[in-house]
Amino acid sequence: MTSAHRISAVVPAAGLSSRMGGPLPKPLLPWGSSTVIETVVSTLLAAAVDEVIVVTGHRADEIEARLAGYAVRCVRNPHYARGGMLSSIQAGLRAADSETAAALLA
């Protein structure tokens, strides 16, 4: 794709998942034979976006470990606990390639 059509996918995965009430945050929940975050990332990579940025925060090490075999870039949002999803989206957009023409939020 030319830089005029470059698309970056941003996946906010930094939250506390406090409404879930369980031991795992949403990205680490099982989904089929993998996890929610792996399913989302696999779908985006199959869609042939130019880059996938996963924004982590809460339990970042565990989420990033699950994504070690995927062609994604993880960036950490140090403000995830007080900044909410908006701060994660902003962190992902700041990390996007400078040639990005559009962003897909997943």
Side-chain angles (χ1 to χ4, degrees):
M1 234 177 234
T2 66
S3 62
H5 298 101
R6 190 163 174 79
I7 300 171
S8 297
V10 176
V11 182
L16 298 169
S17 298
S18 56
R19 293 182 303 237
M20 292 300 294
L24 293 174
K26 284 178 268 195
L28 296 175
L29 288 173
W31 187 269
S33 61
S34 64
T35 62
V36 169
I37 192 65
E38 290 173 286
T39 302
V40 170
V41 162
S42 295
T43 301
L44 291 169
L45 292 172
V49 295
D50 296 290
E51 69 175 339
V52 177
I53 300 164
V54 178
V55 183
T56 62
H58 179 62
R59 295 178 72 166
D61 291 338
E62 293 170 80
I63 294 169
E64 291 170 13
R66 289 297 274 190
L67 297 175
Y70 294 88
V72 301
R73 186 157 44 106
C74 292
V75 296
R76 292 196 180 189
N77 174 9
H79 307 294
Y80 70 90
R82 69 174 187 269
M85 191 183 305
L86 177 59
S87 68
S88 290
I89 292 168
Q90 291 169 330
L93 292 174
R94 279 192 302 274
D97 184 284
S98 63
E99 298 293 317
T100 295
L104 171 67
L105 301 176

